[in-house]
Amino acid sequence: MDFFSAAGGHVWSLLSYLVPFLFVLGLVVFVHEMGHYLVGRWCGVGVDAFALGFGPKLFGWHDKRGTEWKLCAIPLGGYVKFKGDLNGASVPDNELIDSFSEADRKDAFQFKPVWQRAAIVAAGPIANFVLALVIFSATFMFIGRYVIDPVVDQVSPGSPAAVAGIQSGDRIISIDGEAIDSFEAIRRGISTANNGPVVIEVARQGRVHAVKAEPQVVEQKTSLGIVRSRVLGISSSSLPEHHRLMKYGFVDSLELSGGQIVGLIKQSVNYLGGLVRGREKADQLSGPIRIAQVSGKVAESGIVSLLSLAALLSISIGFINLMPIPLLDGGHLMFYAFEAAFGRPLNRRAQEMLFRFGLTLVLALMAFSVVNDIVQITKG
C-alpha cells in the first residue's frame, strides 16, 4: 500500500509540473507559429504542415487547403512548413524547388518577394510580443497592479544608496532620466541601465536632488536558480498610504505593458552584452527543466500567475528568435537583408553551411541549458 501511495505521489508531482508547463509552452509556441501561418496565408503561400511539437506524430488531420495540422510527441516547440521548405526551420528544399513548374511557383515561399518572406518570418516573434501585450494589458485593466510608491524606508549601511547620500523618506522620481512611478520601477530601472553608475533624482523636503550611485551586483536564490541582480540597498515603505491596488484604462494599460516588454528586452540585451564581455555568467540561462519546475510552482498561485509566466516566456522566445543565428527567424531575416541590399540571395552553398552551423549552435545551446538546469536544481 505504501508503495502504491508513494508511486501515486510521484505521478501527481510530475503531472503538477508537466501540465502547467505544457499549457504555458503550448500557448506561446502556438501563437508564435500562428503568426507565421496567418501572414503566410495573407501573402498567398501554400502551407504543408502546422505542427505543435517535434518528432513522431501523435495525431492530426488535413484541412480543405491540404495543410496537415498535427500534434507531435516531443512538446518542445513547433513549426510551420511552407511549400518549398525542406523542414520546419524554413530551410529551402532546393531539389524540390528546381522541379517546380510555373504554377507551383505561384504559392511557393521561396518565390515570394523578399519583403513578404521577411514579413512572414518576423510575424512569429511579433506575435509573441503581441501575446505578452494582451496578457499584461488585460491584467492591468481587469485585475489591477499592486503598486508600492518609490519611497525609501531603510538604507542599508555601506550600500551604494548610503554612499550616494540617499536617505530614508526620499522619493525616487527618476533613474538615468527615466521616470519612476513605483518601487518595482526602481528595480527595473537599475536592471535595465547600462553597467556602471546611474544618476538618481530624489525628492526630499520639497526639493529635487540628483545623486550618482553605482549599484551592487548580488546573487539571489530563486526558483530559476541563482540570479544576479543590481541593487541599491534600499527597502520600500511599509506605511499603508504608500501601498495601493490600481486598475488602468485601455490606453494606459497598453502603455504600461509596452514599457514592461521593452524593459524586459533591455534586460536581456544587457545580460547578453555582459555575457560577451565576461561580466555575467551563463548559469542564469534556463532550459525546459527549470521552466517546467517554475510552471508547476506558479500554477499553485492560479491561472493569472500562469498567464503572466506565459507572457514572460513569450517575450523571451520572441527575443531569442530574432537573434541573427542561422535557422532561427533572425538568421532568415539576416539572409533577406543581404538579398535586399545586393539584389540577389546568398548562394545556396553558403546558406547550407550557415544552416548547418546554426543547427549545431542551437543544439549546443539546448544541451547546455538542460545540463545547466540539472546543475542548478542539484545545487538547490
Side-chain angles (χ1 to χ4, degrees), residues 187-209:
R187 299 189 186 95
R188 191 164 59 246
I190 295 300
S191 63
T192 58
N194 293 323
N195 291 323
V198 293
V199 177
I200 302 172
E201 287 188 326
V202 301
R204 181 188 305 154
Q205 297 178 349
R207 299 182 62 183
V208 175
H209 303 268

Side-chain angles (χ1 to χ4, degrees), residues 29 39-40 74 79 81 98 108-109 112 127 173 176 182 238 245 258:
V29 170
V39 177
I74 305 173
Y79 61 88
K81 184 174 179 291
D98 290 340
F109 178 84
K112 292 297 179 180
I173 58 177
D176 277 351
S182 67
S238 58
L245 180 66

Side-chain angles (χ1 to χ4, degrees), residues 21-93:
F21 170 67
L22 292 178
F23 169 76
V24 168
L25 187 62
L27 174 63
V28 172
V29 170
F30 176 78
V31 168
H32 179 96
E33 300 304 337
M34 186 55 69
H36 291 313
Y37 174 83
L38 290 176
V39 177
R41 282 295 191 197
W42 177 71
C43 292
V45 180
V47 182
D48 294 336
F50 185 111
L52 286 181
F54 298 105
K57 181 177 73 173
L58 297 177
F59 64 87
W61 69 93
H62 286 81
D63 65 19
K64 61 182 180 182
R65 293 189 179 97
T67 301
E68 182 182 18
W69 298 76
K70 56 185 178 178
L71 182 67
C72 299
I74 305 173
L76 296 178
Y79 61 88
V80 174
K81 184 174 179 291
F82 292 108
K83 183 177 179 179
D85 288 343
L86 178 64
N87 51 42
S90 289
V91 176
D93 187 341

Side-chain angles (χ1 to χ4, degrees), residues 141-204:
M141 287 175 64
F142 301 113
I143 297 172
R145 181 175 68 143
Y146 187 66
V147 176
I148 303 175
D149 289 334
V151 176
V152 178
D153 184 24
Q154 299 292 329
V155 180
S156 299
S159 66
V163 172
I166 295 175
Q167 301 175 11
S168 176
D170 286 350
R171 176 183 285 265
I172 295 179
I173 58 177
S174 74
I175 296 177
D176 277 351
E178 294 290 330
I180 299 297
D181 64 352
S182 67
F183 206 85
E184 176 59 32
I186 298 174
R187 299 189 186 95
R188 191 164 59 246
I190 295 300
S191 63
T192 58
N194 293 323
N195 291 323
V198 293
V199 177
I200 302 172
E201 287 188 326
V202 301
R204 181 188 305 154

Side-chain angles (χ1 to χ4, degrees), residues 28 32 121-130 132 261 265 268 310-323 328-330 333:
V28 172
H32 179 96
V121 168
I126 290 172
N128 282 132
F129 298 138
V130 171
I261 292 169
I265 292 173
S268 299
L312 295 174
L313 183 61
S314 192
I315 294 168
S316 296
I317 288 180
F319 173 75
I320 290 169
N321 268 279
L322 285 176
M323 294 181 68
L328 298 182
D329 294 331
L333 291 173

Side-chain angles (χ1 to χ4, degrees), residues 179-349:
I180 299 297
D181 64 352
S182 67
F183 206 85
E184 176 59 32
I186 298 174
R187 299 189 186 95
R188 191 164 59 246
I190 295 300
S191 63
T192 58
N194 293 323
N195 291 323
V198 293
V199 177
I200 302 172
E201 287 188 326
V202 301
R204 181 188 305 154
Q205 297 178 349
R207 299 182 62 183
V208 175
H209 303 268
V211 300
K212 185 176 285 188
E214 183 157 4
Q216 177 185 6
V217 178
V218 299
E219 292 187 347
Q220 297 174 318
K221 187 176 180 180
T222 71
S223 55
L224 285 174
I226 301 299
V227 175
R228 276 172 289 279
S229 56
R230 305 174 79 207
V231 300
L232 289 173
I234 58 177
S235 62
S236 60
S237 173
S238 58
L239 297 175
E241 58 263 32
H242 293 309
H243 295 241
R244 61 193 186 279
L245 180 66
M246 295 187 63
K247 292 185 179 180
Y248 300 87
F250 179 73
V251 175
D252 288 338
S253 294
L254 287 177
E255 185 178 347
L256 279 170
S257 301
Q260 199 160 337
I261 292 169
V262 171
L264 289 166
I265 292 173
K266 282 183 179 179
Q267 286 184 39
S268 299
V269 171
N270 288 345
Y271 173 70
L272 288 177
L275 203 59
V276 171
R277 297 185 185 95
R279 295 175 179 172
E280 298 284 357
K281 295 180 181 179
D283 58 4
Q284 294 189 61
L285 296 172
S286 298
I289 297 176
R290 276 194 285 175
I291 293 173
Q293 186 181 43
V294 172
S295 299
K297 291 180 179 178
V298 169
E300 295 174 0
S301 300
I303 187 64
V304 174
S305 297
L306 198 59
L307 286 172
S308 296
L309 177 62
L312 295 174
L313 183 61
S314 192
I315 294 168
S316 296
I317 288 180
F319 173 75
I320 290 169
N321 268 279
L322 285 176
M323 294 181 68
I325 298 175
L327 215 69
L328 298 182
D329 294 331
H332 290 289
L333 291 173
M334 184 174 61
F335 290 157
Y336 302 149
F338 176 93
E339 184 176 345
F342 294 96
R344 60 178 178 81
L346 195 64
N347 70 72
R348 289 183 175 181
R349 178 61 179 162

